[in-house]
Amino acid sequence: MPRLTRPDFTLDPVTLAKSLLGVRLVRKLGGERLVGRIVETEAYCGPDDKAAHSVGWRRTNRTEPMYAKAGTSYVFLTYGMHHCFNVVCGDKNEGLDQPVAILIRALEPLEGIETMRRLRAAPASKNARVRDPKSIRDRDLCSGPAKLCQAMSIDRGVNAVDLVSHRSVWLERIGETPEPVRVINAPRVGVDYAEEWAKRPLRWFVEQSAHVSVRHPNSGGLHPKVEMRRIGV
DNA sequence: CCCGTGATTTAT
DNA sequence: TAAATCACGGGG
């Protein structure tokens, strides 16, 4: 299947966040393919964006990958125990040479589902209980940014790698859906502290998918927009 | 709804 | 030092 190449990532964050819906995230683990279809994304828009790690051109060891070329991965640890996977984008030639990225928030599992189940059954913290893999529903495998990282064994071992050329993590596009689907455009999750940027509609998800994370977060009373779009399939 | 978990970054 | 954090799972 065609792997995404440099030009596919060389875009502003809003455009890329929308176009990544339907695209496959692929992780190769010991010869096995773990694959999920992206059904939820968020755009983090760089120095002006008060929810972005790169707000105010903040540049530290953690945020360094956001300053790398489009197509680089940015994996960070949050709340001391969970990882989140981001795709760096931007375009030096179009005045978009900024530390911008897309957070992948949810996948529909497609291949390697039993391995995902096993990975998700492992306790994320010392105190957490071991779970029976069989008790984990498909919709709980990748329905959140940290869940999908656990299910696909994504941690800082694959931080700051080039998704265009890496041998065990990349993105694949197969084609577009023949018919448009309902895509919801709403405020991002968990960024209430970000003042005027908290309410900006920078989150996109496939309405019909059972695999999205939070369906109805606080959105300040704003009603989300619905876009009819064909997405990669 | 609330809580505990928990490591790292950044601010004070 | 201390506060804050782009979650999750489990329990009322």
Short mmCIF file of all heavy atoms in Angstrom, two decimals, chain A residues 8-74:
data_model
loop_
_atom_site.label_atom_id
_atom_site.label_comp_id
_atom_site.label_asym_id
_atom_site.label_seq_id
_atom_site.Cartn_x
_atom_site.Cartn_y
_atom_site.Cartn_z
N ASP A 8 3.04 14.79 1.44
CA ASP A 8 1.79 14.54 2.15
C ASP A 8 1.77 15.21 3.52
O ASP A 8 0.71 15.51 4.06
CB ASP A 8 1.58 13.03 2.35
CG ASP A 8 1.39 12.30 1.02
OD1 ASP A 8 0.63 12.81 0.18
OD2 ASP A 8 2.00 11.24 0.84
N PHE A 9 2.95 15.39 4.11
CA PHE A 9 3.05 15.98 5.45
C PHE A 9 3.34 17.48 5.39
O PHE A 9 3.24 18.17 6.41
CB PHE A 9 4.17 15.30 6.24
CG PHE A 9 3.96 13.83 6.48
CD1 PHE A 9 4.74 12.89 5.83
CD2 PHE A 9 2.98 13.39 7.36
CE1 PHE A 9 4.56 11.53 6.06
CE2 PHE A 9 2.79 12.04 7.59
CZ PHE A 9 3.58 11.10 6.94
N THR A 10 3.75 17.96 4.21
CA THR A 10 4.20 19.34 4.07
C THR A 10 3.00 20.26 3.88
O THR A 10 2.74 20.78 2.80
CB THR A 10 5.19 19.44 2.90
OG1 THR A 10 6.20 18.45 3.09
CG2 THR A 10 5.87 20.80 2.87
N LEU A 11 2.24 20.41 4.96
CA LEU A 11 0.96 21.11 4.94
C LEU A 11 0.78 21.88 6.24
O LEU A 11 1.43 21.58 7.24
CB LEU A 11 -0.18 20.10 4.81
CG LEU A 11 -0.25 19.24 3.53
CD1 LEU A 11 -1.26 18.12 3.72
CD2 LEU A 11 -0.63 20.10 2.34
N ASP A 12 -0.15 22.82 6.22
CA ASP A 12 -0.51 23.49 7.48
C ASP A 12 -1.29 22.50 8.35
O ASP A 12 -1.89 21.54 7.83
CB ASP A 12 -1.34 24.74 7.18
CG ASP A 12 -2.70 24.37 6.64
OD1 ASP A 12 -2.81 24.18 5.41
OD2 ASP A 12 -3.64 24.24 7.45
N PRO A 13 -1.29 22.69 9.67
CA PRO A 13 -1.87 21.69 10.57
C PRO A 13 -3.36 21.45 10.38
O PRO A 13 -3.82 20.31 10.53
CB PRO A 13 -1.55 22.23 11.97
CG PRO A 13 -1.17 23.65 11.78
CD PRO A 13 -0.62 23.79 10.40
N VAL A 14 -4.12 22.48 10.05
CA VAL A 14 -5.55 22.28 9.86
C VAL A 14 -5.82 21.38 8.65
O VAL A 14 -6.60 20.43 8.71
CB VAL A 14 -6.28 23.64 9.71
CG1 VAL A 14 -7.71 23.44 9.22
CG2 VAL A 14 -6.28 24.38 11.04
N THR A 15 -5.12 21.65 7.55
CA THR A 15 -5.28 20.82 6.35
C THR A 15 -4.86 19.39 6.61
O THR A 15 -5.56 18.44 6.23
CB THR A 15 -4.45 21.41 5.19
OG1 THR A 15 -4.85 22.74 4.96
CG2 THR A 15 -4.63 20.59 3.92
N LEU A 16 -3.73 19.19 7.30
CA LEU A 16 -3.26 17.83 7.53
C LEU A 16 -4.17 17.08 8.50
O LEU A 16 -4.47 15.91 8.29
CB LEU A 16 -1.82 17.83 8.06
CG LEU A 16 -1.25 16.41 8.22
CD1 LEU A 16 -1.19 15.68 6.88
CD2 LEU A 16 0.12 16.43 8.87
N ALA A 17 -4.63 17.76 9.55
CA ALA A 17 -5.50 17.08 10.52
C ALA A 17 -6.74 16.52 9.83
O ALA A 17 -7.18 15.40 10.10
CB ALA A 17 -5.90 18.05 11.63
N LYS A 18 -7.30 17.29 8.90
CA LYS A 18 -8.48 16.83 8.17
C LYS A 18 -8.12 15.70 7.21
O LYS A 18 -8.85 14.71 7.09
CB LYS A 18 -9.10 18.00 7.40
CG LYS A 18 -9.69 19.05 8.33
CD LYS A 18 -9.89 20.39 7.66
CE LYS A 18 -11.11 20.42 6.77
NZ LYS A 18 -11.43 21.83 6.41
N SER A 19 -6.98 15.82 6.53
CA SER A 19 -6.67 14.82 5.49
C SER A 19 -6.15 13.51 6.08
O SER A 19 -6.13 12.50 5.38
CB SER A 19 -5.67 15.39 4.48
OG SER A 19 -4.41 15.57 5.06
N LEU A 20 -5.76 13.51 7.36
CA LEU A 20 -5.29 12.25 7.95
C LEU A 20 -6.44 11.33 8.34
O LEU A 20 -6.24 10.14 8.58
CB LEU A 20 -4.42 12.52 9.19
CG LEU A 20 -2.99 13.01 8.91
CD1 LEU A 20 -2.22 13.14 10.22
CD2 LEU A 20 -2.24 12.07 7.96
N LEU A 21 -7.67 11.84 8.41
CA LEU A 21 -8.80 10.96 8.71
C LEU A 21 -8.90 9.89 7.62
O LEU A 21 -8.84 10.19 6.43
CB LEU A 21 -10.11 11.75 8.77
CG LEU A 21 -10.28 12.69 9.95
CD1 LEU A 21 -11.61 13.43 9.84
CD2 LEU A 21 -10.21 11.95 11.28
N GLY A 22 -9.02 8.63 8.04
CA GLY A 22 -9.11 7.53 7.10
C GLY A 22 -7.78 6.90 6.74
O GLY A 22 -7.73 5.79 6.22
N VAL A 23 -6.69 7.62 7.03
CA VAL A 23 -5.36 7.10 6.74
C VAL A 23 -4.98 6.03 7.77
O VAL A 23 -5.43 6.08 8.91
CB VAL A 23 -4.35 8.28 6.74
CG1 VAL A 23 -2.91 7.80 6.71
CG2 VAL A 23 -4.63 9.21 5.56
N ARG A 24 -4.19 5.04 7.34
CA ARG A 24 -3.77 3.96 8.23
C ARG A 24 -2.48 4.31 8.96
O ARG A 24 -1.52 4.73 8.31
CB ARG A 24 -3.50 2.69 7.41
CG ARG A 24 -4.67 1.75 7.26
CD ARG A 24 -5.77 2.32 6.45
NE ARG A 24 -6.67 1.26 5.97
CZ ARG A 24 -7.88 1.47 5.52
NH1 ARG A 24 -8.37 2.69 5.50
NH2 ARG A 24 -8.62 0.47 5.10
N LEU A 25 -2.46 4.05 10.26
CA LEU A 25 -1.21 4.09 11.02
C LEU A 25 -0.72 2.65 11.12
O LEU A 25 -1.48 1.77 11.55
CB LEU A 25 -1.44 4.68 12.42
CG LEU A 25 -0.26 4.63 13.39
CD1 LEU A 25 0.96 5.38 12.86
CD2 LEU A 25 -0.67 5.22 14.74
N VAL A 26 0.52 2.42 10.70
CA VAL A 26 1.08 1.07 10.68
C VAL A 26 2.27 0.98 11.61
O VAL A 26 3.13 1.86 11.63
CB VAL A 26 1.53 0.67 9.25
CG1 VAL A 26 2.05 -0.76 9.24
CG2 VAL A 26 0.39 0.84 8.25
N ARG A 27 2.29 -0.09 12.42
CA ARG A 27 3.39 -0.35 13.34
C ARG A 27 3.82 -1.79 13.13
O ARG A 27 2.99 -2.71 13.23
CB ARG A 27 2.91 -0.15 14.77
CG ARG A 27 3.90 -0.55 15.84
CD ARG A 27 4.90 0.55 16.06
NE ARG A 27 5.62 0.39 17.31
CZ ARG A 27 6.95 0.28 17.36
NH1 ARG A 27 7.67 0.29 16.26
NH2 ARG A 27 7.56 0.17 18.53
N LYS A 28 5.07 -2.00 12.80
CA LYS A 28 5.55 -3.37 12.61
C LYS A 28 6.26 -3.82 13.86
O LYS A 28 7.19 -3.18 14.34
CB LYS A 28 6.49 -3.45 11.40
CG LYS A 28 6.48 -4.81 10.78
CD LYS A 28 6.83 -4.77 9.30
CE LYS A 28 6.70 -6.18 8.71
NZ LYS A 28 7.26 -6.25 7.36
N LEU A 29 5.80 -4.95 14.42
CA LEU A 29 6.33 -5.47 15.67
C LEU A 29 6.72 -6.93 15.46
O LEU A 29 5.85 -7.79 15.36
CB LEU A 29 5.27 -5.43 16.77
CG LEU A 29 5.15 -4.26 17.72
CD1 LEU A 29 4.22 -4.63 18.86
CD2 LEU A 29 6.51 -3.83 18.26
N GLY A 30 8.02 -7.20 15.38
CA GLY A 30 8.48 -8.57 15.21
C GLY A 30 7.82 -9.27 14.03
O GLY A 30 7.37 -10.41 14.15
N GLY A 31 7.72 -8.60 12.91
CA GLY A 31 7.16 -9.21 11.72
C GLY A 31 5.66 -9.07 11.58
O GLY A 31 5.11 -9.24 10.50
N GLU A 32 5.00 -8.75 12.69
CA GLU A 32 3.53 -8.59 12.62
C GLU A 32 3.15 -7.14 12.35
O GLU A 32 3.78 -6.23 12.87
CB GLU A 32 2.89 -9.05 13.94
CG GLU A 32 1.37 -8.99 13.89
CD GLU A 32 0.73 -9.39 15.22
OE1 GLU A 32 1.42 -9.36 16.26
OE2 GLU A 32 -0.48 -9.72 15.21
N ARG A 33 2.13 -6.96 11.51
CA ARG A 33 1.61 -5.62 11.25
C ARG A 33 0.47 -5.30 12.21
O ARG A 33 -0.52 -6.02 12.26
CB ARG A 33 1.08 -5.53 9.81
CG ARG A 33 2.10 -5.15 8.76
CD ARG A 33 1.53 -5.39 7.37
NE ARG A 33 0.35 -4.59 7.10
CZ ARG A 33 0.37 -3.43 6.42
NH1 ARG A 33 1.51 -2.96 5.98
NH2 ARG A 33 -0.73 -2.78 6.18
N LEU A 34 0.62 -4.19 12.95
CA LEU A 34 -0.49 -3.64 13.72
C LEU A 34 -0.97 -2.42 12.94
O LEU A 34 -0.18 -1.52 12.64
CB LEU A 34 -0.05 -3.22 15.12
CG LEU A 34 0.68 -4.27 15.97
CD1 LEU A 34 1.00 -3.72 17.35
CD2 LEU A 34 -0.15 -5.53 16.08
N VAL A 35 -2.24 -2.42 12.57
CA VAL A 35 -2.75 -1.35 11.71
C VAL A 35 -4.06 -0.80 12.27
O VAL A 35 -4.94 -1.56 12.70
CB VAL A 35 -3.00 -1.86 10.27
CG1 VAL A 35 -3.47 -0.72 9.37
CG2 VAL A 35 -1.74 -2.50 9.70
N GLY A 36 -4.17 0.51 12.26
CA GLY A 36 -5.43 1.16 12.64
C GLY A 36 -5.75 2.29 11.68
O GLY A 36 -4.86 2.95 11.15
N ARG A 37 -7.04 2.49 11.46
CA ARG A 37 -7.52 3.57 10.60
C ARG A 37 -7.79 4.79 11.47
O ARG A 37 -8.53 4.71 12.46
CB ARG A 37 -8.80 3.09 9.90
CG ARG A 37 -9.55 4.10 9.10
CD ARG A 37 -10.78 3.38 8.51
NE ARG A 37 -11.64 4.27 7.77
CZ ARG A 37 -12.82 4.72 8.23
NH1 ARG A 37 -13.26 4.36 9.41
NH2 ARG A 37 -13.55 5.51 7.48
N ILE A 38 -7.20 5.91 11.10
CA ILE A 38 -7.34 7.14 11.90
C ILE A 38 -8.77 7.67 11.80
O ILE A 38 -9.28 7.90 10.71
CB ILE A 38 -6.33 8.20 11.43
CG1 ILE A 38 -4.90 7.71 11.65
CG2 ILE A 38 -6.57 9.53 12.16
CD1 ILE A 38 -3.82 8.59 11.02
N VAL A 39 -9.42 7.82 12.96
CA VAL A 39 -10.79 8.33 12.96
C VAL A 39 -10.93 9.62 13.78
O VAL A 39 -12.03 10.18 13.87
CB VAL A 39 -11.79 7.27 13.48
CG1 VAL A 39 -11.86 6.09 12.52
CG2 VAL A 39 -11.45 6.80 14.89
N GLU A 40 -9.84 10.08 14.39
CA GLU A 40 -9.91 11.31 15.20
C GLU A 40 -8.55 11.98 15.26
O GLU A 40 -7.54 11.31 15.54
CB GLU A 40 -10.39 10.95 16.62
CG GLU A 40 -10.49 12.15 17.55
CD GLU A 40 -10.99 11.75 18.95
OE1 GLU A 40 -11.48 10.61 19.12
OE2 GLU A 40 -10.87 12.58 19.86
N THR A 41 -8.52 13.29 14.99
CA THR A 41 -7.26 14.05 15.01
C THR A 41 -7.48 15.42 15.67
O THR A 41 -8.61 15.90 15.77
CB THR A 41 -6.74 14.32 13.59
OG1 THR A 41 -7.73 15.05 12.86
CG2 THR A 41 -6.43 13.03 12.85
N GLU A 42 -6.38 16.01 16.11
CA GLU A 42 -6.41 17.40 16.58
C GLU A 42 -5.20 18.14 16.03
O GLU A 42 -4.10 17.60 15.99
CB GLU A 42 -6.38 17.48 18.11
CG GLU A 42 -7.71 17.13 18.76
CD GLU A 42 -7.67 17.19 20.28
OE1 GLU A 42 -6.59 17.43 20.86
OE2 GLU A 42 -8.72 16.97 20.90
N ALA A 43 -5.42 19.40 15.63
CA ALA A 43 -4.34 20.25 15.14
C ALA A 43 -3.78 21.10 16.27
O ALA A 43 -4.54 21.69 17.04
CB ALA A 43 -4.85 21.14 14.01
N TYR A 44 -2.47 21.14 16.38
CA TYR A 44 -1.78 22.03 17.34
C TYR A 44 -0.95 23.01 16.52
O TYR A 44 -0.02 22.62 15.82
CB TYR A 44 -0.98 21.21 18.35
CG TYR A 44 -1.91 20.57 19.34
CD1 TYR A 44 -2.52 19.36 19.07
CD2 TYR A 44 -2.26 21.24 20.51
CE1 TYR A 44 -3.44 18.82 19.95
CE2 TYR A 44 -3.18 20.70 21.40
CZ TYR A 44 -3.77 19.50 21.11
OH TYR A 44 -4.69 18.97 21.98
N CYS A 45 -1.37 24.29 16.63
CA CYS A 45 -1.01 25.28 15.60
C CYS A 45 0.19 26.17 15.91
O CYS A 45 0.27 27.29 15.39
CB CYS A 45 -2.24 26.10 15.27
SG CYS A 45 -3.61 25.06 14.70
N GLY A 46 1.10 25.71 16.75
CA GLY A 46 2.37 26.41 16.87
C GLY A 46 2.41 27.55 17.86
O GLY A 46 1.64 27.59 18.82
N PRO A 47 3.30 28.51 17.66
CA PRO A 47 3.63 29.54 18.64
C PRO A 47 2.44 30.33 19.18
O PRO A 47 2.43 30.70 20.35
CB PRO A 47 4.57 30.46 17.87
CG PRO A 47 5.22 29.57 16.88
CD PRO A 47 4.17 28.59 16.48
N ASP A 48 1.42 30.58 18.36
CA ASP A 48 0.27 31.35 18.83
C ASP A 48 -0.71 30.51 19.63
O ASP A 48 -1.53 31.04 20.37
CB ASP A 48 -0.49 31.95 17.63
CG ASP A 48 0.33 32.98 16.88
OD1 ASP A 48 1.26 33.56 17.50
OD2 ASP A 48 0.07 33.19 15.68
N ASP A 49 -0.66 29.19 19.46
CA ASP A 49 -1.65 28.27 20.02
C ASP A 49 -1.33 27.99 21.49
O ASP A 49 -0.36 27.31 21.82
CB ASP A 49 -1.64 26.97 19.21
CG ASP A 49 -2.67 25.96 19.66
OD1 ASP A 49 -3.31 26.17 20.72
OD2 ASP A 49 -2.83 24.94 18.97
N LYS A 50 -2.19 28.48 22.38
CA LYS A 50 -1.90 28.38 23.82
C LYS A 50 -2.02 26.95 24.35
O LYS A 50 -1.65 26.67 25.48
CB LYS A 50 -2.82 29.32 24.60
CG LYS A 50 -2.48 30.78 24.35
CD LYS A 50 -3.24 31.73 25.25
CE LYS A 50 -2.70 33.15 25.14
NZ LYS A 50 -3.72 34.10 24.67
N ALA A 51 -2.54 26.03 23.54
CA ALA A 51 -2.60 24.62 23.97
C ALA A 51 -1.42 23.82 23.44
O ALA A 51 -1.24 22.66 23.81
CB ALA A 51 -3.90 23.98 23.50
N ALA A 52 -0.63 24.40 22.56
CA ALA A 52 0.49 23.67 21.93
C ALA A 52 1.72 23.69 22.83
O ALA A 52 1.98 24.69 23.51
CB ALA A 52 0.82 24.27 20.57
N HIS A 53 2.47 22.61 22.83
CA HIS A 53 3.71 22.56 23.60
C HIS A 53 4.71 23.60 23.09
O HIS A 53 5.60 24.03 23.82
CB HIS A 53 4.34 21.16 23.53
CG HIS A 53 3.60 20.13 24.32
ND1 HIS A 53 3.82 18.77 24.20
CD2 HIS A 53 2.61 20.26 25.24
CE1 HIS A 53 3.01 18.11 25.03
NE2 HIS A 53 2.27 18.98 25.66
N SER A 54 4.53 23.99 21.83
CA SER A 54 5.46 24.94 21.19
C SER A 54 4.98 26.38 21.31
O SER A 54 5.46 27.25 20.58
CB SER A 54 5.64 24.56 19.73
OG SER A 54 4.36 24.48 19.09
N VAL A 55 4.03 26.63 22.22
CA VAL A 55 3.51 27.99 22.39
C VAL A 55 4.67 28.96 22.68
O VAL A 55 5.58 28.64 23.44
CB VAL A 55 2.46 28.05 23.52
CG1 VAL A 55 3.03 27.60 24.86
CG2 VAL A 55 1.85 29.43 23.66
N GLY A 56 4.63 30.11 22.03
CA GLY A 56 5.67 31.12 22.25
C GLY A 56 7.05 30.67 21.79
O GLY A 56 8.05 31.09 22.36
N TRP A 57 7.08 29.77 20.78
CA TRP A 57 8.34 29.21 20.27
C TRP A 57 9.11 28.47 21.38
O TRP A 57 10.33 28.42 21.36
CB TRP A 57 9.23 30.29 19.64
CG TRP A 57 8.63 30.91 18.42
CD1 TRP A 57 7.91 32.05 18.39
CD2 TRP A 57 8.68 30.41 17.07
NE1 TRP A 57 7.50 32.30 17.09
CE2 TRP A 57 7.96 31.32 16.26
CE3 TRP A 57 9.26 29.27 16.47
CZ2 TRP A 57 7.80 31.14 14.89
CZ3 TRP A 57 9.10 29.12 15.11
CH2 TRP A 57 8.38 30.04 14.33
N ARG A 58 8.38 27.93 22.34
CA ARG A 58 9.03 27.15 23.40
C ARG A 58 9.81 26.00 22.78
O ARG A 58 9.25 25.19 22.03
CB ARG A 58 7.97 26.62 24.36
CG ARG A 58 8.53 25.86 25.54
CD ARG A 58 7.41 25.29 26.38
NE ARG A 58 6.78 26.31 27.22
CZ ARG A 58 5.61 26.14 27.80
NH1 ARG A 58 4.95 25.03 27.65
NH2 ARG A 58 5.09 27.10 28.55
N ARG A 59 11.09 25.93 23.07
CA ARG A 59 11.95 24.91 22.45
C ARG A 59 12.82 24.27 23.52
O ARG A 59 13.77 24.87 24.02
CB ARG A 59 12.82 25.56 21.37
CG ARG A 59 13.61 24.55 20.55
CD ARG A 59 14.16 25.17 19.29
NE ARG A 59 14.78 24.16 18.44
CZ ARG A 59 15.18 24.38 17.20
NH1 ARG A 59 15.04 25.58 16.65
NH2 ARG A 59 15.73 23.42 16.49
N THR A 60 12.45 23.04 23.90
CA THR A 60 13.16 22.30 24.95
C THR A 60 13.46 20.91 24.42
O THR A 60 13.11 20.58 23.29
CB THR A 60 12.27 22.17 26.20
OG1 THR A 60 11.11 21.41 25.85
CG2 THR A 60 11.86 23.52 26.74
N ASN A 61 14.09 20.09 25.25
CA ASN A 61 14.35 18.72 24.82
C ASN A 61 13.06 18.02 24.41
O ASN A 61 13.02 17.30 23.42
CB ASN A 61 15.02 17.92 25.95
CG ASN A 61 16.49 18.26 26.09
OD1 ASN A 61 17.09 18.84 25.18
ND2 ASN A 61 17.06 17.93 27.22
N ARG A 62 11.97 18.27 25.17
CA ARG A 62 10.72 17.60 24.85
C ARG A 62 10.18 18.05 23.50
O ARG A 62 9.75 17.23 22.68
CB ARG A 62 9.67 17.86 25.94
CG ARG A 62 8.36 17.17 25.64
CD ARG A 62 7.36 17.26 26.77
NE ARG A 62 6.88 18.60 27.02
CZ ARG A 62 5.69 18.88 27.54
NH1 ARG A 62 4.86 17.90 27.87
NH2 ARG A 62 5.33 20.11 27.76
N THR A 63 10.15 19.37 23.27
CA THR A 63 9.49 19.89 22.07
C THR A 63 10.37 19.89 20.82
O THR A 63 9.90 20.22 19.74
CB THR A 63 9.01 21.34 22.30
OG1 THR A 63 10.14 22.18 22.52
CG2 THR A 63 8.09 21.42 23.50
N GLU A 64 11.62 19.51 20.98
CA GLU A 64 12.55 19.57 19.84
C GLU A 64 12.02 18.92 18.56
O GLU A 64 12.18 19.49 17.47
CB GLU A 64 13.91 18.96 20.25
CG GLU A 64 15.03 19.22 19.26
CD GLU A 64 15.34 20.70 19.03
OE1 GLU A 64 15.17 21.51 19.96
OE2 GLU A 64 15.74 21.06 17.90
N PRO A 65 11.40 17.74 18.63
CA PRO A 65 10.90 17.12 17.38
C PRO A 65 9.90 17.99 16.63
O PRO A 65 9.77 17.87 15.41
CB PRO A 65 10.23 15.83 17.86
CG PRO A 65 10.90 15.52 19.16
CD PRO A 65 11.21 16.85 19.79
N MET A 66 9.20 18.88 17.33
CA MET A 66 8.24 19.75 16.64
C MET A 66 8.94 20.73 15.70
O MET A 66 8.31 21.31 14.82
CB MET A 66 7.38 20.53 17.64
CG MET A 66 6.44 19.65 18.44
SD MET A 66 5.25 20.60 19.41
CE MET A 66 4.11 21.16 18.15
N TYR A 67 10.24 20.92 15.89
CA TYR A 67 11.01 21.84 15.05
C TYR A 67 11.69 21.11 13.89
O TYR A 67 12.37 21.72 13.09
CB TYR A 67 12.06 22.59 15.90
CG TYR A 67 11.43 23.57 16.86
CD1 TYR A 67 10.88 23.13 18.07
CD2 TYR A 67 11.34 24.93 16.55
CE1 TYR A 67 10.27 24.02 18.94
CE2 TYR A 67 10.74 25.83 17.41
CZ TYR A 67 10.21 25.37 18.62
OH TYR A 67 9.61 26.25 19.48
N ALA A 68 11.50 19.79 13.84
CA ALA A 68 12.10 19.00 12.75
C ALA A 68 11.21 19.07 11.51
O ALA A 68 10.14 19.67 11.51
CB ALA A 68 12.30 17.57 13.20
N LYS A 69 11.65 18.41 10.45
CA LYS A 69 10.92 18.49 9.18
C LYS A 69 9.56 17.79 9.25
O LYS A 69 9.35 16.89 10.08
CB LYS A 69 11.76 17.89 8.05
CG LYS A 69 12.08 16.42 8.21
CD LYS A 69 13.08 15.99 7.15
CE LYS A 69 13.62 14.60 7.47
NZ LYS A 69 14.82 14.29 6.68
N ALA A 70 8.68 18.20 8.34
CA ALA A 70 7.36 17.60 8.25
C ALA A 70 7.50 16.10 8.00
O ALA A 70 8.33 15.67 7.21
CB ALA A 70 6.57 18.25 7.12
N GLY A 71 6.69 15.30 8.71
CA GLY A 71 6.78 13.85 8.59
C GLY A 71 7.53 13.21 9.75
O GLY A 71 7.65 11.99 9.81
N THR A 72 8.03 14.04 10.65
CA THR A 72 8.71 13.54 11.85
C THR A 72 7.66 13.16 12.90
O THR A 72 6.61 13.79 12.99
CB THR A 72 9.65 14.62 12.40
OG1 THR A 72 10.61 14.97 11.40
CG2 THR A 72 10.37 14.16 13.66
N SER A 73 7.94 12.13 13.71
CA SER A 73 7.05 11.78 14.81
C SER A 73 7.37 12.64 16.03
O SER A 73 8.51 13.04 16.23
CB SER A 73 7.19 10.31 15.16
OG SER A 73 8.48 10.06 15.73
N TYR A 74 6.34 12.90 16.84
CA TYR A 74 6.55 13.56 18.14
C TYR A 74 5.75 12.76 19.16
O TYR A 74 4.52 12.78 19.18
CB TYR A 74 6.07 15.02 18.09
CG TYR A 74 6.06 15.74 19.41
CD1 TYR A 74 7.10 15.58 20.32
CD2 TYR A 74 5.02 16.60 19.77
CE1 TYR A 74 7.09 16.24 21.55
CE2 TYR A 74 5.00 17.27 20.97
CZ TYR A 74 6.03 17.09 21.86
OH TYR A 74 6.02 17.75 23.07
#
